[in-house]
Amino acid sequence: FLSRFTTLLLLLSLLSAATIFTSTEAYDPLDPTGNITVKWDIMSWTPDGYMAVVTLYNFQQYRHIQAPGWSLGWTWRKREVIWDVVGGQTTEQGDCSRFKGNIPHCCKKKPTVVDLLPGTPYNKQVANCCKGGVLSSWAQDPSAAAASFQLSVGQAGTTNKTVRLPVNFTLQAPGPGYTCGPAKVVKPSRFTTADKRRVTQALMTWNVTCTYSQFLAQKTPTCCVSLSSFYNNTIVPCPTCSCGCKSNTTLSGSCVNSVVPNPGKNGLAVPPAVQCTHHMCPIRVHWHVKLNYKQYWRVKITITNFNYAMNYSQWNLVAQHPNFDNLTQIFSFNAKSLNPYASINDTMIMWGVKFYNDLLMQAGPTGNVQSELLFQKETESFTFEKGWAFPRRIYFNGDNCVMPPPDAYPWLPNASSRHIMSPSILVTAVLSALAFLLK
């Protein structure tokens, strides 16, 4: 009995440890409060339900949602139907055979709503809609970090006490990675009129918070980092198999050697793929310590796309380095400090200039963007020793990139490896210098 009891206690401790790991794996130390909040505002009651405005706010500092965009799903608690949607649409109508006359927009127990595309007629639009599901990150453009649609819900409650909150919210953006918590009733939202002389409020409001986990989004990393410097001929490459190996059959797509595959039989194109490399990452970020001045030092950053399948629009790069507090100038990129630790300014987000390099093209000659950073030296902390000039971590589009091991960084030439000058040679050199000066 004691052995069984001991085994049971061991299993319970393992389960609790697994639970702790699962609950913290979505935590991002560079964006500790980042999330996507879904706000559901009931604006008016209808004969059999209500009209609500649903808004998605992307409060993540550097993780945006790119095409084909977000999709939001949930499960109704009763037999609710969606009579109409403005600024969005459900992906399926479902079985509406029980209705005669007016047919609802959607009768599914588990509906999924997506954004409408740009160019939608004005009578089908609401504020912050119709962007194809694309949301900017909060640091890049807060004005483009929200999306809304309007729902007319039927066969639902018509008072605050009879309305049942939906459950099991899901967010695809556009793939997996987000986990949504339960809906929670909050203080009703308040709205100010255009003349700022009157304030109205929603009849009822609930929020849903969705957090991102890179572990849930993909099994392997999506980017890696390589390093080099002017003071060392060594180029430190991305670690081998950073994002998978060539022999790994579980990788999505195939691996092609530096050229786009030709169209297949019957004129059908072969699915595009990642270029064959030793690291097998779609994105590589190269950090090069370029120059050393008396009061400044210079870094060159190059982002290379090895993915034949994808253009990265509105891309962004986040780097952590202790000298960002003394960044003097950045060329051809936009930049903004994130300050994840309040007073410590060691984290910077960078992104492309609109209509110039905000689109990172597919693999090929034009599949890269680059910029240079000029730092002022702080005499108390500046050094090139022990890899100090290289970043602590790099993120691309919100995903943590694989860094080389610290012992592989390009270090300064070791003083012990220099040739030791013999005393006779030293005396000869001094005498020669003196003779030259006394001429």
Side-chain angles (χ1 to χ4, degrees):
F1 174 81
L2 288 177
S3 62
R4 291 183 180 180
F5 183 74
T6 305
T7 305
L8 179 60
L9 288 177
L10 178 61
L11 290 173
L12 288 175
S13 64
L14 290 174
L15 286 173
S16 63
T19 303
I20 293 172
F21 174 77
T22 303
S23 62
T24 59
E25 66 181 3
Y27 176 77
D28 188 344
L30 298 188
D31 190 12
T33 60
N35 67 77
I36 292 182
T37 298
V38 181
K39 178 170 285 190
W40 195 296
D41 292 312
I42 295 180
M43 306 302 295
S44 62
W45 303 112
T46 61
D48 70 336
Y50 58 85
M51 188 277 289
V53 175
V54 182
T55 305
L56 287 75
Y57 295 97
N58 184 13
F59 291 126
Q60 299 173 113
Q61 291 293 323
Y62 47 80
R63 184 172 294 106
H64 65 281
I65 298 177
Q66 56 192 12
W70 56 265
S71 60
L72 180 68
W74 61 86
T75 301
W76 293 119
R77 295 285 295 277
K78 299 192 289 188
R79 299 190 68 187
E80 293 93 337
V81 296
I82 300 175
W83 285 111
D84 191 24
V85 185
V86 182
Q89 63 182 1
T90 59
T91 55
E92 296 183 45
Q93 183 185 37
D95 182 8
C96 296
S97 59
R98 70 179 187 272
F99 291 91
K100 297 180 180 180
N102 293 333
I103 304 298
H105 177 84
C106 179
C107 301
K108 288 185 69 67
K109 181 76 172 178
K110 299 179 180 179
T112 299
V113 175
V114 295
D115 196 10
L116 297 178
L117 298 175
T120 298
Y122 290 112
N123 62 345
K124 290 291 185 181
Q125 293 189 25
V126 294
N128 291 324
C129 86
C130 313
K131 296 178 284 189
V134 175
L135 287 182
S136 171
S137 63
W138 193 258
Q140 284 179 265
D141 188 1
S143 64
S148 299
F149 57 90
Q150 180 179 295
L151 289 176
S152 178
V153 182
Q155 295 191 359
T158 56
T159 67
N160 288 17
K161 294 183 178 180
T162 58
V163 166
R164 302 292 298 276
L165 277 60
V167 295
N168 299 332
F169 279 84
T170 59
L171 178 64
Q172 300 283 317
Y178 286 91
T179 301
C180 298
K184 295 182 179 180
V185 177
V186 296
K187 188 176 180 179
S189 302
R190 294 167 63 88
F191 310 96
T192 305
T193 57
D195 59 6
K196 298 183 180 179
R197 301 178 64 187
R198 174 176 165 78
V199 176
T200 60
Q201 71 178 44
L203 303 178
M204 185 179 182
T205 299
W206 59 78
N207 284 356
V208 178
T209 302
C210 302
T211 55
Y212 179 84
S213 169
Q214 186 173 346
F215 302 102
L216 296 178
Q218 60 270 327
K219 295 181 180 179
T220 58
T222 58
C223 55
C224 65
V225 179
S226 57
L227 309 169
S228 63
S229 65
F230 70 90
Y231 54 77
N232 194 315
N233 292 330
T234 302
I235 298 177
V236 180
C238 288
T240 302
C241 295
S242 295
C243 304
C245 298
K246 296 179 184 179
S247 59
N248 190 352
T249 57
T250 61
L251 286 174
S252 59
S254 57
C255 165
V256 294
N257 290 312
S258 69
V259 292
V260 180
N262 294 323
K265 296 180 180 179
N266 303 323
L268 298 176
V270 176
V274 174
Q275 181 176 321
C276 292
T277 57
H278 72 278
H279 54 76
M280 289 301 294
C281 291
I283 295 293
R284 182 191 67 195
V285 180
H286 186 75
W287 181 287
H288 174 65
V289 181
K290 185 176 181 180
L291 292 169
N292 182 28
Y293 306 106
K294 183 177 181 180
Q295 296 182 350
Y296 300 90
W297 62 292
R298 198 177 184 104
V299 167
K300 182 177 181 180
I301 296 177
T302 304
I303 308 171
T304 305
N305 184 3
F306 292 94
N307 192 348
Y308 288 113
M310 188 171 183
N311 292 329
Y312 292 89
S313 60
Q314 297 182 359
W315 59 267
N316 66 60
L317 183 77
V318 173
Q320 187 179 37
H321 189 280
N323 208 200
F324 271 130
D325 197 31
N326 294 303
L327 179 65
T328 302
Q329 189 173 2
I330 184 169
F331 304 88
S332 73
F333 283 177
N334 294 305
K336 181 179 180 181
S337 296
L338 291 180
N339 298 331
Y341 311 115
S343 60
I344 302 176
N345 182 18
D346 67 348
T347 307
M348 187 78 66
I349 178 174
M350 294 163 273
W351 66 95
V353 179
K354 194 171 184 179
F355 304 126
Y356 175 59
N357 58 359
D358 59 332
L359 180 66
L360 180 55
M361 302 294 288
Q362 295 176 2
T366 60
N368 69 86
V369 291
Q370 50 190 296
S371 180
E372 295 191 6
L373 285 68
L374 185 65
F375 295 94
Q376 187 174 7
K377 291 181 179 178
E378 187 175 343
T379 55
E380 295 180 357
S381 60
F382 175 80
T383 179
F384 281 132
E385 294 182 354
K386 299 180 180 179
W388 181 90
F390 298 103
R392 305 300 179 261
R393 69 179 80 192
I394 294 281
Y395 285 65
F396 179 81
N397 276 0
D399 286 339
N400 199 358
C401 300
V402 178
M403 299 285 296
D407 59 352
Y409 284 23
W411 285 21
L412 285 169
N414 195 337
S416 63
S417 63
R418 297 175 181 173
H419 295 290
I420 299 175
M421 188 177 294
S422 64
S424 59
I425 296 177
L426 181 60
V427 170
T428 304
V430 172
L431 292 175
S432 299
L434 289 173
F436 177 77
L437 292 172
L438 294 175
K439 283 183 179 181

